[in-house]
Amino acid sequence: MTDTQNPMQGRTAPTPPSTTIAEFDTYEQAQALVDRLSDAKFAVEHVRIVGTGLRTVEQVLGRMTYGRAALGGAMAGAWFGLFVGLLFALIGAGGWVWLIWALLMGAAFGMIAAVVQHAMTGGKRDFTSVQALKAERYGVQVTNEHAAEAVRVMGQPAPTD
């Protein structure tokens, strides 16, 4: 998928030619520049932050056991049960009895589903993790038509509100 493709519509929109006006080591630094441009009333709809040198980083959080799977499933199921129970309680059909029943049933079904899902992996992925996409550099790009103005705004002291 190109950077101009809209995944919601499956169509592409033309991307105006852009100039990189600054590069940073962290996303937060790039974001701070865009915020500074916004504070100076620059038309930030002509700005984009582009990460280059992308890599996937997976942080392993711990071992996945049947107990951990059961607890996680019970918690997720309980949240869903709480939602359903609140709907029934608000309707007035049985009041708080529905809330407690739905909470317990949601926790039970969530726990069973999570344990079965964990058992079906056959021990091939017995750990939990979080994945993140990281970039080596972040460039702040502005459409060519507005780049000179952005550079001029960058050279001014930050506005104080």
Side-chain angles (χ1 to χ4, degrees):
M1 181 165 63
T2 64
D3 61 80
T4 60
Q5 189 173 6
N6 182 340
M8 299 301 288
Q9 297 176 348
R11 294 184 262 166
T12 57
T15 300
S18 299
T19 301
T20 301
I21 61 169
E23 283 194 340
F24 301 98
D25 292 329
T26 68
Y27 176 79
E28 289 75 20
Q29 292 170 318
Q31 187 179 15
L33 174 58
V34 175
D35 188 47
R36 187 168 156 215
L37 290 170
S38 177
D39 291 347
K41 308 297 186 237
F42 180 79
V44 291
E45 59 271 15
H46 302 288
V47 178
R48 63 183 175 181
I49 299 173
V50 179
T52 57
L54 300 178
R55 66 185 187 279
T56 301
V57 177
E58 183 173 7
Q59 178 62 49
V60 176
L61 301 175
R63 181 175 169 77
M64 177 56 78
T65 62
Y66 282 103
R68 183 175 267 185
L71 180 62
M75 296 296 286
W79 276 110
F80 181 72
L82 179 66
F83 173 72
V84 172
L86 282 172
L87 288 177
F88 279 106
L90 289 174
I91 292 171
W96 297 107
V97 173
W98 275 104
L99 177 68
I100 294 168
W101 181 84
L103 184 76
L104 293 174
M105 293 308 294
F109 281 116
M111 180 175 62
I112 292 167
V115 168
V116 168
Q117 183 181 8
H118 178 62
M120 290 178 68
T121 65
K124 292 202 177 359
R125 188 169 167 94
D126 281 347
F127 62 91
T128 60
S129 64
V130 176
Q131 285 189 359
L133 192 61
K134 301 282 185 177
E136 290 178 10
R137 301 279 295 161
Y138 296 90
V140 176
Q141 296 182 350
V142 180
T143 57
N144 289 346
E145 180 182 337
H146 299 89
E149 175 66 11
V151 170
R152 185 188 66 73
V153 169
M154 282 174 40
Q156 297 176 352
T160 56
D161 290 327

